[in-house]
Every structure is written in structure tokens, then in C-alpha cells.
Amino acid sequence: DSGVTQTPKHLITATGQRVTLRCSPRSGDLSVYWYQQSLDQGLQFLIQYYNGEERAKGNILERFSAQQFPDLHSELNLSSLELGDSALYFCASSVSYAGAYEQYFGPGTRLTVT
Amino acid sequence: GQQVMQIPQYQHVQEGEDFTTYCNSSTTLSNIQWYKQRPGGHPVFLIQLVKSGEVKKQKRLTFQFGEAKKNSSLHITATQTTDVGTYFCADSSNTGNQFYFGTGTSLTVIP
């Protein structure tokens, strides 16, 4: 158990819909990362927050957005869903924002868009 | 963005054989981290390499960072069925804010 929690574990929804994925980091970790993992794409970095502020953006679509709240939990919002958005979404946390710190991954949310 | 390539993409070995995965970048890597993801699981941090030419060992696993900091390798001696999974290398950008994961090497160990 990494100490990072993600909900829900599974999500099935239809195209065009909007969903929210939730992540609670490890106690004491201020940085949260979101990743998308699909079969043919590996682990794609989406976005990073540190202590409530956006620190970096990766390959995140405009239909996707995220935020980190004062209690440090984070939410990833996916809208106008397409079939290609079906994937495993991981949240990870680390102590700091710098790359020199290991990341602890949550169990992931498996999103299926039908 | 930075491209971190891993080879091979897949590797099947007999239990007891050795296994190596390589991580290559066209640019200098800030530092390298290695993660293991078991089937159906999430990535788990294994180790971090920072210095040029660094070598670290964890039991049967040996990690190396190239002298030019453009490549890294993970070598497993005498594989066991518990080694099954996908091994990823990851590099943080120069600013340390982004993470670029390699494409991963999926290891299958045949008992």
C-alpha cells in the first residue's frame, strides 16, 4: 500500500459525458502528479500540482483539467469524453516538486468510455 | 518533450536466466528513476540514479547510469517468477517539474 488513494476504482461512462477522478496523496506529500496509461501509449504525464498550484503541464488535452485543494487532495476532470480516453489514470504523490524525489503511485482509476 | 526510449519492448526468459533493459535518451538526463509495475498493479519506485557512471545494486538487480548521462540499464541476475512485470525508466525534465517515462519493458519469466 503506497498510501495514495484514488476513487473510483472503475468508471464506465458514455461518450460526451464528464467525469471526475479523485486522488488523496500520502500524508505529508505536497506534490501530486496525474498520468494516463493506455495499452499503446505507456505512461503519459498529464499535469502536476504542488501545494495547490499548478507546476507543470504535460500532454494534457484541453478537455481535461485538474486542481489541487487546500487539503491537498486533487481531482482530474475529464469532459466531452471520447472512446480514446479509455485508459488507466494514475495519481502519484511526492514530497516535493523537484524531479529528484520518488513518486508513490495510487492504485489507479480504470475509465471505460462506451 | 523529451523522448526516453526503452529496449526491448518485450522480453521472455526462462527462470534463472538474466535479463537486461536499456533506457536511452538523445539528450542528457537530469536523473533516472526506475519503476516496476506488476500486471494489474501500479508503478512502484525501485531506485534513483543521479551521478554520471553511477552503479547501484539491490539484491539481484543492478542499475547503471551512463557516463554521458544519456542512458541507463537495469540488469536482473537469475530471474525469478516474482520478477514478472513491466520495468519503466523515468527522467525528470531539467526543471524537475515533469516526468517522462520510458516506453517500458515487459518481462515474462517462464518457470
Side-chain angles (χ1 to χ4, degrees), chain A:
Chain A
D1 182 9
S2 66
V4 178
T5 60
Q6 286 187 251
T7 56
K9 195 170 183 178
H10 300 279
L11 199 48
I12 302 174
T13 189
T15 54
Q17 294 299 305
R18 172 189 170 95
V19 296
T20 297
L21 313 184
R22 183 189 168 101
C23 167
S24 292
R26 280 191 333 154
S27 177
D29 284 356
L30 299 178
S31 192
V32 170
Y33 302 76
W34 285 98
Y35 293 89
Q36 180 190 58
Q37 185 175 44
S38 49
L39 282 175
D40 58 349
Q41 293 290 328
L43 270 168
Q44 297 292 317
F45 168 74
L46 296 178
I47 198 165
Q48 182 206 9
Y49 280 83
Y50 175 76
N51 204 20
E53 293 188 6
E54 182 185 304
R55 291 286 301 186
K57 260 187 178 180
N59 300 318
I60 187 166
L61 300 172
E62 286 190 9
R63 299 183 287 108
F64 296 0
S65 65
Q67 58 185 131
Q68 186 179 28
F69 295 86
D71 67 353
L72 300 178
H73 90 270
S74 178
E75 293 181 356
L76 179 67
N77 301 297
L78 316 176
S79 61
S80 303
L81 285 168
E82 302 175 359
L83 295 177
D85 297 328
S86 295
L88 198 49
Y89 290 85
F90 285 109
C91 158
S93 73
S94 69
V95 169
S96 182
Y97 56 82
Y101 296 91
E102 64 188 88
Q103 295 184 29
Y104 295 87
F105 281 76
T109 293
R110 182 168 295 282
L111 173 66
T112 303
V113 182
T114 62

